[in-house]
């Protein structure tokens, strides 16, 4: 299992679609949970990092705002666009081909940012988290959901999430709150943090 564990943490490009499929099995529950913790407002601008079922849920709350998703996969983007043609036509939803750590948005563009079970696939985590903070407005909220199913020991999974929390803190966010959801042998986790008010 060491090879599989390594690929789940940082997959080779040829295996990335397979890894994403494996991680997506629990996506509906994780996406709904993530959006609940995100608590988007009626006029919020929301950004999802990596396409999941969470963006349409968020768009349902931001009826006078904007829901945006970025993803490095043209196939997933096209599929999501086909499923959300009405919201796109009405100007409530956008999709962009992009990937961390470089996002095509101005600083402070979003009130809420979230990612569902893909932070373990991000290259250069410190740079990615710094970029997330850049596009989030001062006082804005970020929710990062992860199910570390490649870790078989609950204590090791907890250590992994605490390390992620430390990375979020070092990127300049306020100390994140950690929530758990029972989901098999190892729980899913959500890190909820805020950008400091008055930050650049």
């Amino acid at each position: 299992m060491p090879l599989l564990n390594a690929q789940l943490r940082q997959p080779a490009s040829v295996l990335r679609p397979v890894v994403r499929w494996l991680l997506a099995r629990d996506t509906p529950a994780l996406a709904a949970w993530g959006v609940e913790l995100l608590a988007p407002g009626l006029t919020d601008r929301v950004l999802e990092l990596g396409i999941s079922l969470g963006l349409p849920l968020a768009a349902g709350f931001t009826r006078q705002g904007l829901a945006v998703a970025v993803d490095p996969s043209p196939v997933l983007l096209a599929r999501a666009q086909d499923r959300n043609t009405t919201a796109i036509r009405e100007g409530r939803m956008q999709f962009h081909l992009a990937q961390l750590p470089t996002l095509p948005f101005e600083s402070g563009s979003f009130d809420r940012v979230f990612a569902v079970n893909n932070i373990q696939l991000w290259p250069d985590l410190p740079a990615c988290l710094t970029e997330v903070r850049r596009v989030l407005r001062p006082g804005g909220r970020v929710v990062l959901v992860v199910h570390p199913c490649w870790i078989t020991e609950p204590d090791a999974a907890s250590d992994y999430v605490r390390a992620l929390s430390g990375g979020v803190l070092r990127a300049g966010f306020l100390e994140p709150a950690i929530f758990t959801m029972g989901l098999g042998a190892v729980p899913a986790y959500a890190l909820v943090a805020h950008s400091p008010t008055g930050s650049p």
Side-chain angles (χ1 to χ4, degrees), residues 32 35 38 42 53 69 180:
V35 173
L38 192 70
L42 184 66
L53 299 177
T180 61

Side-chain angles (χ1 to χ4, degrees), residues 39-74:
L42 184 66
T43 60
D44 279 347
R45 292 172 57 89
V46 174
L47 173 64
E48 182 175 22
L49 304 167
I51 293 172
S52 77
L53 299 177
L55 193 70
L57 295 175
F61 290 98
T62 62
R63 292 188 300 276
Q64 296 176 21
L66 179 65
V68 179
V70 297
D71 200 282
S73 168

Side-chain angles (χ1 to χ4, degrees), residues 17-91:
V18 176
V19 170
R20 289 187 64 166
W21 176 82
L22 288 170
L23 294 173
R25 291 176 298 173
D26 299 312
T27 292
L30 296 177
W33 185 41
V35 173
E36 179 182 359
L37 293 171
L38 192 70
L42 184 66
T43 60
D44 279 347
R45 292 172 57 89
V46 174
L47 173 64
E48 182 175 22
L49 304 167
I51 293 172
S52 77
L53 299 177
L55 193 70
L57 295 175
F61 290 98
T62 62
R63 292 188 300 276
Q64 296 176 21
L66 179 65
V68 179
V70 297
D71 200 282
S73 168
V75 173
L76 291 180
L77 280 173
R79 186 180 305 164
Q81 288 171 330
D82 288 343
R83 292 176 176 174
N84 296 281
T85 54
T86 300
I88 294 171
R89 185 171 60 251
E90 294 174 348

Side-chain angles (χ1 to χ4, degrees), residues 165-189:
S165 177
V168 172
L169 188 61
R170 287 189 295 275
F173 291 95
L174 302 180
E175 186 168 4
I178 301 176
F179 299 86
T180 61
M181 173 194 285
L183 202 64
V186 173
Y189 296 84

Side-chain angles (χ1 to χ4, degrees), residues 3 9 51 102 127 153:
L3 178 59
R9 288 193 302 272
I51 293 172
T102 304
E153 295 295 330

